[in-house]
Amino acid sequence: MTLLIILMTLALVQIWGSGWPLHRDRWFDRWSARVEKAPQLQGQDGLLLGLSILPPVLAVALAMAFVESSAGGLGVLLLGIPLLLYCLGRGNFNDILSTYLRSWYRGDLKGAAEAARPLLREIHEEVGEGARLHEQVFRGAAYCAFERLFAVLFWFILLGIPGALLFRLSALYAERARGTEREISAARWLWLLEWVPVRVMGLSFAIVGNFAGCYRAWRQCLMCRERDTAQVLEAYLEGALGGINANECRFSDDISQVQRQSGAEIEGLQALLSRSLLLWITVLALTVLFT
């Protein structure tokens, strides 16, 4: 059932571009705000986080158990697909990157920065520095792809829909806590949830990319506690995409070497992510087949 839910969810994402029809987060905003107003929880960042996230997760777990007992596998399928769609990241990742690349190849750095803004928390320094902008977009795109899909699938495969919802609500909570006194605890909790999935992601990159370079980076980052998830992913990608050159860029017009090289890296990232997703589905299918 897990494999079927994933396949049907990904099919709907291909049709819609994302799970946007189900991405309605106002209920969580209202619930979190209500929890934050409780006077006995003021200054208790850990309790605020737990009481904001765990009740909805437990409610979904009970709902899934009830549906399975009353409607069987069909009920789990009908409820699991929309819930997994909700847990996926917001925005159309491929459209964002395509819009960014079009502006990048035209030399419109301001337009490229604006197109990439959904991938980045903030744009650092002036966008007139193309190499710096590309570095930020590359790191932001890698983390966005991981956070919106792969981390969700990891926790879904491990713990079912409650696991996927736990990760999504944790990510939403961390995003809303940014700039507040709750930011550190929320970011730390999200980092813990991402710790194992990002290392599984690194192994996936090694298998479908440059194995030697990525595996070397994977070993270096295996027990690292200083780097955040985006930095670990960037290290993996530098190894997995090692040796990529400007000639692999699919854009055929007359553009500078820097534009061509940077475009080839983004296109290489997209291809690597697609191969990694195929690897995960293949491994899951083989597991289902032989167990």
Side-chain angles (χ1 to χ4, degrees):
M1 191 61 66
T2 297
L3 178 61
L4 188 57
I5 290 175
I6 290 175
L7 291 176
M8 296 189 71
T9 299
L10 293 177
L12 289 174
V13 169
Q14 289 297 314
I15 295 172
W16 291 335
S18 70
W20 64 267
L22 298 173
H23 290 168
R24 303 290 186 267
D25 300 321
R26 289 184 180 178
W27 70 270
F28 183 64
D29 293 337
R30 290 194 295 267
W31 169 252
S32 298
R34 186 175 181 179
V35 172
E36 290 168 16
K37 290 178 181 177
Q40 60 270 34
L41 297 178
Q42 299 305 308
Q44 304 291 327
D45 294 348
L47 283 175
L48 279 173
L49 189 152
L51 290 176
S52 296
I53 294 172
L54 292 181
V57 172
L58 291 175
V60 165
L62 291 174
M64 292 296 296
F66 174 77
V67 167
E68 185 175 10
S69 63
S70 60
L74 180 60
V76 171
L77 186 68
L78 293 177
L79 182 59
I81 292 172
L83 285 174
L84 185 57
L85 275 168
Y86 173 79
C87 294
L88 298 181
R90 278 53 179 148
N92 190 320
F93 179 75
N94 290 325
D95 276 0
I96 293 171
L97 277 188
S98 296
T99 304
Y100 165 78
L101 283 175
R102 284 195 296 270
S103 297
W104 175 263
Y105 287 138
R106 290 197 306 266
D108 180 10
L109 296 184
K110 185 175 181 180
E114 188 61 33
R117 199 168 295 279
L119 304 175
L120 306 171
R121 293 180 180 178
E122 55 183 325
I123 301 289
H124 297 288
E125 301 182 6
E126 294 297 325
V127 298
E129 297 185 26
R132 177 59 175 155
L133 173 63
H134 169 70
E135 178 184 333
Q136 295 175 69
V137 171
F138 185 79
R139 179 184 294 187
Y143 178 75
C144 183
F146 167 77
E147 180 267 346
R148 73 187 304 275
L149 179 61
F150 289 94
V152 173
L153 292 183
F154 174 87
W155 286 110
F156 172 66
I157 293 169
L158 193 65
L159 298 176
I161 290 295
L165 185 63
L166 174 68
F167 179 82
R168 177 51 51 208
L169 295 185
S170 298
L172 290 173
Y173 186 89
E175 180 181 350
R176 285 151 175 74
R178 197 173 300 131
T180 70
E181 60 184 13
R182 296 176 283 111
E183 179 177 6
I184 295 177
S185 60
R188 182 67 177 176
W189 169 245
L190 186 61
W191 179 84
L192 289 172
L193 287 180
E194 293 172 342
W195 199 91
V196 175
V198 76
R199 281 150 181 82
V200 174
M201 195 74 188
L203 284 178
S204 305
F205 286 162
I207 293 171
V208 301
N210 184 326
F211 181 84
C214 188
Y215 183 67
R216 188 181 308 112
W218 185 83
R219 288 192 304 171
Q220 292 173 349
C221 296
L222 180 59
M223 303 305 295
C224 179
R225 297 181 180 180
E226 289 75 29
R227 304 187 195 189
D228 62 25
T229 303
Q231 291 171 329
V232 171
L233 276 171
E234 186 178 28
Y236 293 160
L237 286 167
E238 287 175 355
L241 295 175
I244 196 168
N245 58 66
N247 294 328
E248 297 180 32
C249 173
R250 294 193 295 266
F251 196 79
S252 59
D253 289 356
D254 184 21
I255 56 177
S256 70
Q257 184 71 9
V258 172
Q259 287 175 298
R260 190 175 294 277
Q261 177 68 32
S262 300
E265 290 177 358
I266 294 293
E267 292 171 3
L269 168 63
Q270 290 178 294
L272 190 70
L273 292 170
S274 297
R275 295 196 300 270
S276 297
L277 179 58
L278 181 60
L279 173 66
W280 281 36
I281 293 174
T282 301
V283 170
L284 181 59
L286 291 174
T287 302
V288 171
L289 186 63
F290 292 104
T291 56

